Amino acid sequence: EGVQTTQVLDTTEDGGLKKSLSSIEGLSYKDGLKNCGGSEDILVDTMKDFVISAREQPKKISGYFAAKDAKNYTILVHGLKSAARLIGFLSLSQLAAELETCGDEQDWETIEEKTPRLLQMYQKAGADLSAVFGEGEDPFADESKSEIDPVMLKEMYGGILEFVSALDFSTAEEVYSMLKDYRLPEEERERAKKLYELIRNVDKDGVMELLQK
């Protein structure tokens, strides 16, 4: 079934956003809001990030699945498990958790049986959120924000590198979220977006390589 994503829903009326999100199949607005500390602003920002990742991540999961690359398949499914749970897609998160375990155990029979359903759910979740928020904008190109000081940017990258080195991806993601309060120089925007993907996928080696360039 095709999902229409071209029309962005009007969420400006009182309670409109909650109503729009609550109508999405498989999404618990209540759980998403709770997991984002009760802040609708954080929930919305995190959902917009999910929309962006949902454009490419299903293709990557499918590629690793086809290649029977259990290590990288499991890394991406782990990231999906966390991302989906955070915003309230609980069934998607549970299926991802099950397939993460299957990846760890090299249970290809179950992986082959359930991965197509996972990809379908992931793509639909991204499309449904796109219908609410649009295709997602580059948070680092917002002209209304102050451009980050180069010294501060270097310090924030250094902090992320330190936390990731200690496998503290949760704190690394908190530091990363502060970056989105600023406009970044054009030459840094792609690296910053790639950094988010690597943190979400708990890819220590990828973060180290990206930030040590």
Side-chain angles (χ1 to χ4, degrees), residues 114-153:
K114 297 190 175 183
T115 295
R117 175 61 177 158
L118 178 83
L119 295 173
Q120 180 187 38
M121 291 173 69
Y122 192 2
Q123 289 167 330
K124 185 177 187 304
D128 286 345
L129 288 178
S130 291
V132 176
F133 299 115
E135 290 299 319
E137 299 175 354
D138 184 351
F140 300 119
D142 188 343
E143 292 294 332
S144 68
K145 297 177 181 177
S146 300
E147 181 160 325
I148 194 166
D149 178 79
V151 175
M152 179 184 290
L153 179 61

Side-chain angles (χ1 to χ4, degrees), residues 27-97:
L27 176 65
S28 169
Y29 173 86
K30 179 182 177 182
D31 283 293
L33 189 65
K34 181 178 72 175
N35 293 339
C36 289
S39 168
E40 191 170 85
D41 287 344
I42 293 175
L43 176 61
V44 167
D45 284 346
T46 309
M47 285 179 165
K48 288 179 179 179
D49 288 338
F50 187 92
V51 168
I52 294 171
S53 68
R55 295 177 194 163
E56 298 297 330
Q57 292 298 86
K59 298 175 192 174
K60 293 180 179 179
I61 292 173
S62 181
Y64 291 135
F65 165 64
K68 289 201 170 185
D69 182 339
K71 178 183 176 182
N72 285 307
Y73 173 90
T74 305
I75 288 171
L76 292 191
V77 171
H78 170 84
L80 174 57
K81 174 191 72 174
S82 302
R85 181 190 60 79
L86 186 61
I87 61 175
F89 278 112
L90 304 184
S91 295
L92 175 58
S93 178
Q94 289 164 3
L95 180 55

Side-chain angles (χ1 to χ4, degrees), residues 152-162 175-176 179 184 188-189 191-193 195 207 211:
M152 179 184 290
L153 179 61
K154 184 177 181 180
E155 289 176 350
M156 293 177 82
Y157 279 161
I160 290 171
L161 193 60
E162 183 178 338
V175 175
Y176 179 88
L179 273 178
L184 298 189
E188 283 293 335
R189 291 171 191 167
R191 178 156 76 150
K193 285 185 279 187
L195 177 60
V207 172
L211 292 185

